[in-house]
Amino acid sequence: MTVAKPSPARRARTALPTIVAMQPQPRPLRLIIQIPCYNEEASLPETLAALPRAIAGVDIIEVQIINDGSTDRTVEVARSLGVDHIVDVPVNKGLSNAFMAGLEHALAKGADIIVNLDADNQYNANDIPRLIAPILERRAEFVVGDRPITTIAHFSYLKRLLQLLGSAVVRMASQTTVRDAPSGFRAIARDAALRLNSFDSYTYTLETIVQSGLSGIRIVSVPIGVNGETRPSRLIRSIPQYIWRSSKSILRTALVYAPGKFLFRLSLPLLVAGLILIGRWLWLTIDGTDRAHVPSLVAAAGLLLTAVMLWVAAITGEQMAINRRLLQDIQYRLRKAALPPLLERDDAGDDQQP
């Protein structure tokens, strides 16, 4: 018996369709270099000229300035030099506000990594690839440039000492290994930038390190180079004022992000001193002294009572810290949801007035 074969047309109609899986194309990695500016028309051209135009592992490099209420031609100079984004703050609100406004705008423009540096060209821009390398290698989310403090010619001996001492205090408060806490040359991954806050009107440098270290953001340091001094620092106008305001920033941030640990450690010297006085009073009493030593007993009671009050405050602070962490997580999710979808390219040069 002969079996008829189906015609070619019928075979084409009954063949199962072939499904070709399309591989998703990787989204280009975007780096935005942000520069807070306040009356920087003289130094901005040199700073912009030093920025790298291509970096291995980065597909798109854009430059953004934050004009913090400048009264000179900073914005005009930036536009003439082809800056991609300008964040315009109409009134001078300080470095911390400019830094946060820049982060918000860079995130909205789709930045995967944000590099922050000063407009006075004090940092060596050739070290930007070294700065972002830990983020590209997934070893960190936050990288701080470590200047050679002890060899910077225009730093006085006192300024070097204060920089090293201040960084040591920040390391203890933040539980990190950051060697140059006041450095403004830093790289921040997108997810870490969504979690950062700065409430200090003076500077963002110390607060963001303490916050990151105590919030679980992976932060490291890398050595960087510096250029010669182009103008005096606008942040450190007076050494005593800088010490006072920096100390307040560290203490306030430690109280906000680790109140229990901070207050408990603060109570330990009082506890030890109170126990020593109590022990002395008991020893003298058992030894049969003729004096009552009431002042020692009163002082011991005061010290121990203060220590107990700090313990109560520490417990209350820890409860508030739990609520703060929950609110911070909600803030992170809201910030992330509010961002526009990440696109391969977007319009550049749009001004924003926060």
Side-chain angles (χ1 to χ4, degrees), residues 164-175:
L164 295 174
L165 180 61
S167 295
V169 173
V170 171
R171 281 196 297 274
M172 289 188 293
S174 63
Q175 301 176 14

Side-chain angles (χ1 to χ4, degrees), residues 11-336:
R11 286 201 302 268
R13 287 196 302 269
T14 58
L16 293 176
T18 302
I19 300 176
V20 179
M22 300 296 294
Q23 295 295 328
Q25 296 298 317
R27 190 177 62 84
L29 191 144
R30 186 185 301 265
L31 167 67
I32 292 184
I33 304 171
Q34 73 167 28
I35 308 173
C37 296
Y38 176 65
N39 293 341
E40 299 287 0
E41 65 171 321
S43 60
L44 194 56
E46 184 180 9
T47 302
L48 294 176
L51 298 179
R53 305 302 175 188
I55 299 175
V58 176
D59 300 296
I60 302 172
I61 299 177
E62 296 175 344
V63 180
Q64 164 181 289
I65 74 159
I66 305 98
N67 176 45
D68 188 21
S70 297
T71 56
D72 65 355
R73 298 182 60 256
T74 294
V75 173
E76 289 81 354
V77 170
R79 284 202 177 102
S80 68
L81 294 173
V83 168
D84 299 285
H85 311 292
I86 298 176
V87 183
D88 192 23
V89 182
V91 180
N92 179 253
K93 295 183 179 181
L95 185 59
S96 180
N97 181 82
F99 173 77
M100 291 304 299
L103 287 190
E104 181 181 351
H105 191 262
L107 289 169
K109 289 298 181 180
D112 297 289
I113 303 175
I114 303 164
V115 166
N116 184 87
L117 76 160
D118 293 347
D120 59 359
N121 199 38
Q122 66 166 298
Y123 302 110
N124 188 346
N126 291 328
D127 287 326
I128 290 180
R130 178 185 298 180
L131 195 71
I132 67 173
I135 297 177
L136 293 177
E137 296 166 3
R138 298 181 177 270
R139 293 188 289 110
E141 301 170 276
F142 193 163
V143 186
V144 179
D146 178 18
R147 297 169 292 178
I149 298 295
T150 57
T151 61
I152 297 179
H154 60 272
F155 276 17
S156 66
Y157 176 78
L158 179 59
K159 186 174 181 179
R160 294 176 189 176
L161 180 62
L162 290 174
Q163 293 273 7
L164 295 174
L165 180 61
S167 295
V169 173
V170 171
R171 281 196 297 274
M172 289 188 293
S174 63
Q175 301 176 14
T176 65
T177 59
V178 173
R179 298 179 56 84
D180 185 8
S183 172
F185 193 25
R186 43 187 64 191
I188 308 166
R190 180 181 180 84
D191 196 69
L194 284 167
R195 298 180 183 276
L196 285 184
N197 289 298
S198 180
F199 306 107
D200 194 330
S201 60
Y202 183 56
T203 178
Y204 62 90
T205 55
L206 309 181
E207 181 181 7
T208 49
I209 291 175
V210 176
Q211 176 196 351
S212 299
L214 299 180
S215 299
I217 296 174
R218 174 64 174 161
I219 179 170
V220 299
S221 294
V222 297
I224 59 164
V226 295
N227 301 316
E229 185 179 28
T230 57
R231 59 165 172 77
S233 172
R234 294 173 179 170
L235 190 64
I236 309 177
R237 299 180 180 179
S238 165
I239 293 296
Q241 181 195 45
Y242 178 73
I243 295 173
W244 170 245
R245 299 191 71 170
S246 298
S247 300
K248 287 197 304 180
S249 176
I250 295 171
L251 289 175
R252 179 171 57 246
T253 308
L255 276 172
V256 169
Y257 291 96
K261 186 176 298 184
F262 179 80
L263 293 172
F264 178 74
R265 289 177 177 176
L266 189 63
S267 71
L268 289 180
L270 303 178
L271 176 65
V272 172
L275 291 176
I276 290 174
L277 288 176
I278 285 288
R280 177 177 178 272
W281 179 80
L282 288 173
W283 174 264
L284 293 174
T285 301
I286 294 172
D287 196 42
T289 179
D290 295 332
R291 296 172 55 191
H293 296 283
V294 174
S296 295
L297 190 60
V298 172
L303 291 170
L304 293 175
L305 180 61
T306 304
V308 171
M309 292 174 63
L310 287 173
W311 293 346
V312 174
I315 294 172
T316 305
E318 279 301 303
Q319 293 174 339
M320 295 177 64
I322 292 173
N323 291 331
R324 178 199 56 76
R325 286 191 287 268
L326 292 174
L327 291 173
Q328 185 175 340
D329 187 61
I330 293 173
Q331 180 193 51
Y332 163 75
R333 294 174 184 273
L334 289 175
R335 281 177 172 176
K336 192 171 183 179

